[in-house]
Amino acid sequence: MGEMPRRSPERDFSGYNAAQAERPVRPLARAAVSLALAGPRAAGQVPGALAALAPRVAVELGSGAGVEARFLAENGFEVHSYDADPSVADAYAELARSLPISHTTADLAQIETFPAADLVLSCATLPFVRRDEFPALWRRILDSLRLGGILAVDLFGDRDDWASTDGTFLSRDEVEQLLRGTDVLELVEEEREGRSFSGPKHWHTYRVLARRT
Ligand SMILES: C[S@@+](CC[C@H](N)C(=O)[O-])C[C@H]1O[C@@H](n2cnc3c(N)ncnc32)[C@H](O)[C@@H]1O
């Protein structure tokens, strides 16, 4: 994905995902799980003594090859994963045979509500949501987080090489505005020359970890 096609339907996410199955779990997912497991249980779950027995719920948006979904499930989360790429559906069906992963093939912008979650994870996906569809999706993401729940997302900046394509590329101010009303645990903005799936690229990214308050 060095030369990023302008429109999402032309982007080769299935090719990307096919090359991901063997890579390590993303650090953002590891950090999010540590925070979610270390903190007090998010509010709004099963009350009373049963609360300790109920599994934590994780929602993963743009879950790709399933590396992070598997990691979440292996760490005790009930996982609801979403991705528009139909080519990964079989891999999720296989994962679901032994792990509590429920996968939906869909455009995130078309999903009206997400399950109430203790953790929402989205690695390298939200920037590909169209700008006009992003605010409503963001609202639904925050609405799905239980009080005390962890939000862990990658966002891209407006100086990213792909910022001229369809998607959501944000200034620092815009990111800070999106996070208003949350407790920001980490907001790392990075700019660097690097590589993408198929070529050199200037990256401008934000790595966000926040707790819903
Ligand atoms: C760069 S990949 C990242 C995948 C995975 N999270 C990872 O870290 O390897 C972006 C993923 O988002 C999915 N995606 C992009 N736009 C989407 C949309 N509007 N709705 C649902 N999934 C989308 C793609 O199919 C792809 O799997």
Side-chain angles (χ1 to χ4, degrees):
M1 275 192 276
E3 285 300 312
M4 173 57 82
R6 183 168 178 76
R7 296 182 54 248
S8 244
E10 294 149 17
R11 294 171 181 162
D12 180 19
F13 286 122
S14 57
Y16 175 87
N17 287 328
Q20 296 297 305
E22 303 302 322
R23 67 158 168 76
V25 173
R26 296 205 183 281
L28 182 63
R30 290 190 179 279
V33 163
S34 298
L35 283 165
L37 295 182
R41 291 216 119 190
Q45 282 192 297
V46 184
L50 286 179
L53 300 174
R56 288 178 165 87
V57 174
V59 166
E60 190 185 359
L61 308 175
S63 50
V67 176
E68 283 70 35
R70 172 200 284 271
F71 173 72
L72 292 165
E74 286 176 344
N75 277 277
F77 288 83
E78 175 188 300
V79 180
H80 299 265
S81 58
Y82 300 82
D83 201 291
D85 175 9
S87 76
V88 294
D90 285 353
Y92 284 90
E94 186 56 35
L95 284 173
R97 289 159 64 96
S98 55
L99 291 167
I101 299 177
S102 147
H103 184 71
T104 304
T105 300
D107 179 349
L108 295 175
Q110 304 306 318
I111 302 200
E112 286 179 9
T113 50
F114 298 106
D118 303 279
L119 168 58
V120 175
L121 174 70
S122 187
C123 299
T125 293
L126 296 179
F128 302 115
V129 174
R130 275 182 17 208
R131 184 92 196 193
D132 60 323
E133 295 178 325
F134 188 86
L137 173 60
W138 187 259
R139 216 165 305 122
R140 290 197 294 275
I141 291 172
L142 291 185
D143 285 349
S144 76
L145 267 177
R146 292 175 166 141
L147 291 180
I150 298 294
L151 176 70
V153 297
D154 291 317
L155 299 170
F156 284 7
D158 50 6
R159 292 185 295 278
D160 192 274
D161 261 357
W162 293 341
S164 60
T165 68
D166 279 2
T168 302
F169 299 86
L170 301 158
S171 68
R172 174 94 186 190
D173 277 358
E174 287 173 313
V175 172
E176 285 174 1
Q177 212 152 342
L178 288 175
L179 294 171
R180 253 183 222 146
T182 71
D183 180 11
V184 179
L185 306 170
E186 186 178 296
L187 169 52
V188 178
E189 180 176 3
E190 200 185 11
E191 277 200 64
R192 63 184 172 86
E193 302 309 317
R195 294 189 67 76
S196 74
F197 187 53
S198 62
K201 172 177 184 279
H202 179 78
W203 291 90
H204 180 197
T205 57
Y206 305 94
R207 171 186 148 119
V208 175
L209 283 160
R211 191 186 297 278
R212 186 175 166 205
T213 50

